[in-house]
Every structure is written in C-alpha cells, then in structure tokens.
Amino acid sequence: MSIPLLGLGTFRLKDQVVIDSVSQALALGYRAIDTAQIYGNEAEVGHAMAASGIPRDQLFLTSKIWTENLGADKLIPSLKDSLSKLRTDYLDLTLIHWPSPQGAVPVAEFMGALEEARAQGLTRQMGVSNFTIDLLRQAIAVVGKEAIATNQIELHPYLQNRTLVEFMHSQGIAVTSYMTLGYGKVLQDPVILEIAGQHNATPAQVTLAWAMQLGYAVIPSSTRRENLAGNLKARELKLNDEDMARIAALDSGLRLTNPESLAPAWD
Ligand SMILES: NC(=O)c1ccc[n+]([C@@H]2O[C@H](COP(=O)([O-])OP(=O)(O)OC[C@H]3O[C@@H](n4cnc5c(N)ncnc54)[C@H](OP(=O)(O)O)[C@@H]3O)[C@@H](O)[C@H]2O)c1
C-alpha cells in the first residue's frame, strides 16, 4: 500500500469548475484525486471520474471525514454517503480531515470507527490530516503506526513543518503536503523564480519537485489546463543539492490555514 506522489486537489472548486478541472486532469494523465466531504464537490468529482471512462482500479481516490461526522454513530454512514456521491464502493484513502474541535470526540472513538470502515472494505487505506505530534501519538496508540498511511498537512517552502515531519519519519508515516504552492504565494518568490529560470521550468514545477524530492506527496489544484499539464510534468524535474538547500532556507513559519474553530495548538 502506498500513496501516489502527485495527485489533484479540489478544495474551493465547485460545480462545473470542478468537473472541468478533474476531467482535464484525468485526460492529461492524473490518476489520483483529493476531495473532502466539506468541499461540497464529491458528486461532481464522481461525475467527472465516471465520465472519464477510466477503470476504477486505475484511480486513487481520497476523501476526508468532516468534523461533524467523527462520532462512532456518524463516521461510517457519512463515508457511505460520500461513496454514493462519488459513485464508487470504496475509497483508496480516507482521512480524518481535522481533529475533533476541543477534543469533543475522543481520538480513540473516530480512529476506531475509521478502522471499522476499513475492515468493512469501505476504504483501502486510512490516515489523518492537520494532526500534531501529540494527536498522532494518540492515533497510533489506538490503531498502530502501520495503519496510518499519511498525515496531510500544510507544507510549502514558507512552512516546512520540520519537527512534525521528523516525528512522522520516525514512525514511518508518509507526509502529504497540502497547499504546496502556498496557494500561489510561493510562485512569486525570487529564489524560486531564479531556480526555475536555471532549469527552464515553471516556479510551480520547482516547488512541486522540491516537495516530491523530499518524499512528500503533493496534490496541487488548478482550474487551468496549462497549469494542470505543467504541474504533472514536475515529476520529471530534478533539482540539485544547491537548489534544495536554497529552498530549505525559505522557511519562515508562514501558516496560511489556521481556522480558529478547528486548529489544534501546532507543533
Ligand atoms: N487537509 C486539509 O485541511 C487541506 C487544506 C487545504 C488544501 N487541501 C488540499 O490540498 C490541495 C492543494 O491546496 P490548494 O488548492 O489550497 O492550494 P495550492 O495547490 O497550493 O494552490 C492552488 C492555486 O495555485 C494556482 N496554481 C496551480 N498551479 C499553478 C501553476 N502551475 N502556475 C501558477 N499558478 C498555479 C491555482 O490557480 P489556477 O486555478 O489559476 O491554476 C490556485 O489558485 C487542495 O485543493 C485540497 O485538495 C487540504
């Protein structure tokens, strides 16, 4: 079991915009799609996947359980609802989207329910998102580190999250970087632009290649065919040690996703 190194994000994309993005991406060769219950686009993602004609076993589909559905009585029914919207009978990866606000639902309860969902065949792999070291330790205590495929976290050149990543490496938990492009912010950075110029690549390719070279899975989103195609080609770009060191030095701890109602005390 493993996680594809490059997939397509769908946050903020709705209706025809998400159908077009997913359809174009699949036509270009993307095979992994990341959605979530809260994105309100699972039905459209399911529509685009079905319309592509690509066999289900060639696709890698991730969705995330919203915080309102973390209770043991709600998690599996909500996942079944997601599956029906997505027009499939299993997910490749199901993530806990955010830890339960104020710990209202204990980690043991939702990780236990997620494990049960996997046992029922509703998901092939399971994982978490926006989990701190402390929360990961709690999740590991319930299901074991081998059962946690990934922790999907905000990670880009301006927020490299090294303490958390080090802990995840020590546990063998894969890193998925979300907002790898810093929602576009990183693409104006002079260092990234210079490295891009040296490799005849785009700033987005440099940023994605940097993350993938560190072994992180990435899920950039785009509404433009040109950007979707360019981002996919980031897999072919090889950065040198100096490039990697220059990007490592860009970390400034800039966190773009920090919703007051959801965010735990970050590491
Ligand atoms: N687990 C979580 O809590 C969480 C939170 C946030 C995001 N995510 C996941 O991570 C995915 C990625 O994050 P994100 O979509 O917020 O941000 P992102 O991928 O860092 O950035 C997307 C933005 O970058 C632009 N872009 C993409 N490729 C580009 C290129 N080659 N050149 C120039 N601009 C480019 C896009 O604009 P255009 O449309 O114009 O290309 C879009 O505005 C999400 O879609 C979602 O699936 C998860």
Side-chain angles (χ1 to χ4, degrees):
M1 291 283 186
S2 61
I3 307 224
L5 212 47
L6 192 144
L8 178 76
T10 63
F11 181 34
R12 301 182 202 84
L13 311 184
K14 301 245 191 212
D15 306 321
Q16 193 60 40
V17 175
V18 78
I19 293 176
D20 290 346
S21 173
V22 173
S23 303
Q24 287 184 333
L26 292 173
L28 287 163
Y30 285 76
R31 289 296 177 267
I33 313 285
D34 179 277
T35 179
Q37 293 175 339
I38 196 69
Y39 297 171
N41 63 17
E42 288 178 312
E44 289 74 13
V45 169
H47 170 86
M49 281 183 6
S52 75
I54 298 168
R56 175 67 185 88
D57 64 3
Q58 289 178 27
L59 297 169
F60 189 98
L61 184 56
T62 301
S63 193
K64 315 186 195 79
I65 306 291
W66 188 239
T67 53
E68 284 165 15
N69 298 325
L70 291 178
D73 56 333
K74 296 212 182 95
L75 192 145
I76 287 181
S78 82
L79 178 51
K80 286 183 174 165
D81 186 41
S82 290
L83 292 176
S84 118
K85 287 179 180 154
L86 287 160
R87 305 189 195 187
T88 183
D89 52 11
Y90 71 94
L91 291 183
D92 294 279
L93 177 63
T94 304
L95 304 179
I96 300 297
H97 202 152
W98 285 86
S100 183
Q102 284 83 48
V105 181
V107 172
E109 182 171 334
F110 59 72
M111 289 311 292
L114 190 53
E115 197 171 38
E116 173 60 24
R118 189 179 60 164
Q120 289 183 17
L122 304 175
T123 187
R124 297 264 160 97
Q125 300 188 73
M126 61 196 223
V128 296
S129 178
N130 299 299
F131 269 42
T132 58
I133 293 174
D134 176 53
L135 286 157
L136 279 176
R137 283 191 205 279
Q138 293 182 47
I140 289 168
V142 183
V143 295
K145 58 186 180 185
E146 291 80 13
I148 302 171
T150 191
N151 181 20
Q152 186 183 117
I153 52 173
E154 181 179 342
L155 193 156
H156 43 73
Y158 296 154
L159 181 71
Q160 298 191 21
N161 245 319
R162 289 199 182 92
T163 313
L164 176 56
V165 164
E166 210 171 289
F167 175 75
M168 288 167 62
H169 282 156
S170 77
Q171 303 299 304
I173 297 173
V175 176
T176 303
S177 149
Y178 77 64
M179 286 186 168
T180 318
L181 309 176
Y183 196 52
K185 270 192 174 35
V186 170
L187 308 180
Q188 316 298 325
D189 188 277
V191 170
I192 301 283
L193 285 165
E194 201 182 307
I195 296 172
Q198 287 162 357
H199 289 275
N200 199 16
T202 68
Q205 286 168 339
V206 168
T207 310
L208 296 168
W210 162 79
M212 288 190 281
Q213 238 165 277
L214 290 170
Y216 310 156
V218 295
I219 42 171
S221 72
S222 178
T223 54
R224 292 166 205 263
R225 190 184 175 85
E226 188 191 334
N227 290 349
L228 289 167
N231 294 351
L232 192 61
K233 287 213 175 98
R235 293 185 295 192
E236 293 156 28
L237 175 62
K238 180 89 183 83
L239 301 178
N240 60 38
D241 291 348
E242 193 196 336
D243 301 330
M244 294 298 284
R246 291 183 75 196
I247 301 174
L250 295 179
D251 193 3
S252 63
L254 175 73
R255 194 177 290 280
L256 300 170
T257 307
N258 200 11
E260 213 177 291
S261 56
L262 294 171
W266 301 111
D267 294 302

